[in-house]
Amino acid sequence: MPPTFSPSMKWLKPPVFVLCLAPVAILLLQAFHDQLRADSLLTALHLNPDLGANQIEKVTHTTGDWILIFLCITLAITPLRKILNQPWLIKFRRMFGLFAFFYASLHFLTYIWLDQFFDMSSILNDVAKRPFITAGFTGFVLLIPLALTSTAGWIRRLGGKRWQWLHRLIYISAIAGVVHYYWLVKSDVRLPLLYAAIVTLLLGFRAFVAIRNQRRQLAADSAQPRAAFRPTEAAKDAE
């Protein structure tokens, strides 16, 4: 079993937080490259100096990609913690989950503001008529209660078990996100299929652990009466 490390969260969390903000910082640099004089910086980073011809599509696709990336990272924390025996990894799960919600909010805001101009009837019509919008909207809505109840106070209010059950909505949200992406892409589905494979692997790990724990519990329950029976038999023998 690998050794357990316990790095101080005081110095590790800020750089991780800044790295998580990097995608939106790059989008802002590309959007306001003239005002910020960021062309040379973006070129040095091997990035496009602007958002390209279709700026809304660029922002929508970038934020959409990062939703799935952060959902996969959040789902990967538990398997990595168990496989690598690194309990401290759990301290980052909330941050990654909230960044998934942050990018989902930006993605949704881009859609309702820049694409639909806050026309609620058009948005509701779109959600009802286009399946990939419905799947994406479902995934976003399911993330809202998870973001609202992500604090220690809500864990105390709901109780550990109920809080854990509620936060399993992230599984459905991740599946809805992958379906949204797969239905959106018209030709090259390699990236949606890659996300689908990663989400399947991460959820499959949880299913495997749950089945294994259930079998162990059943074995322990069935062994208990025999264990309780043995002293009686031993006592009879002693008599």
Side-chain angles (χ1 to χ4, degrees):
M1 185 176 287
T4 301
F5 299 101
S6 298
S8 168
M9 296 304 114
K10 285 183 180 176
W11 69 266
L12 193 53
K13 276 193 170 181
V16 172
F17 187 89
V18 171
L19 277 176
C20 293
L21 281 173
V24 74
I26 290 169
L27 283 177
L28 288 171
L29 285 174
Q30 290 172 323
F32 301 102
H33 63 104
D34 279 340
Q35 295 89 332
L36 298 171
R37 298 180 182 174
D39 289 36
S40 55
L41 173 62
L42 291 165
T43 305
L45 293 171
H46 301 286
L47 296 168
N48 291 332
D50 55 36
L51 292 174
N54 194 334
Q55 299 185 354
I56 298 172
E57 189 176 283
K58 170 72 175 175
V59 174
T60 304
H61 286 179
T62 303
T63 51
D65 269 334
W66 282 99
I67 299 166
L68 286 172
I69 290 169
F70 277 108
L71 283 175
C72 289
I73 293 173
T74 307
L75 288 172
I77 292 289
T78 296
L80 286 175
R81 177 174 62 89
K82 290 182 177 176
I83 293 169
L84 302 176
N85 189 32
Q86 302 298 330
W88 59 271
L89 284 171
I90 202 71
K91 294 182 182 293
F92 288 86
R93 190 172 61 180
R94 178 172 176 262
M95 182 195 293
F96 292 137
L98 286 175
F99 266 106
F101 179 70
F102 171 67
Y103 282 100
S105 300
L106 291 181
H107 190 69
F108 184 65
L109 187 63
T110 305
Y111 168 70
I112 63 167
W113 181 10
L114 303 177
D115 196 26
Q116 298 290 330
F117 305 105
F118 295 107
D119 185 343
M120 287 309 295
S121 62
S122 173
I123 292 168
L124 292 175
N125 198 36
D126 213 20
V127 170
K129 280 189 174 177
R130 295 205 284 177
F132 83 91
I133 296 283
T134 310
F137 185 72
T138 303
F140 173 64
V141 169
L142 291 179
L143 285 178
I144 294 173
L146 308 192
L148 293 176
T149 60
S150 64
T151 62
W154 271 105
I155 297 174
R156 283 195 300 274
R157 285 188 201 103
L158 292 173
K161 204 164 230 178
R162 276 187 293 181
W163 185 88
Q164 199 173 30
W165 272 105
L166 175 66
H167 279 250
R168 283 175 182 159
L169 287 176
I170 192 174
Y171 306 159
I172 304 172
S173 184
I175 293 168
V178 170
V179 171
H180 166 73
Y181 194 10
Y182 183 81
W183 281 346
L184 169 68
V185 174
K186 294 179 177 63
S187 54
D188 189 355
V189 294
R190 284 177 296 179
L191 203 50
L193 289 178
L194 176 63
Y195 285 123
I198 293 170
V199 170
T200 302
L201 185 68
L202 294 171
L203 297 187
F205 175 86
R206 285 167 167 78
F208 169 76
V209 170
I211 293 168
R212 187 191 63 183
N213 289 344
Q214 194 175 27
R215 285 181 177 172
R216 283 180 178 173
Q217 186 61 47
L218 286 172
D221 291 346
S222 60
Q224 217 167 17
R226 288 201 295 272
F229 184 68
R230 279 182 196 132
T232 309
E233 290 297 302
K236 284 181 181 176
D237 291 340
E239 288 172 2

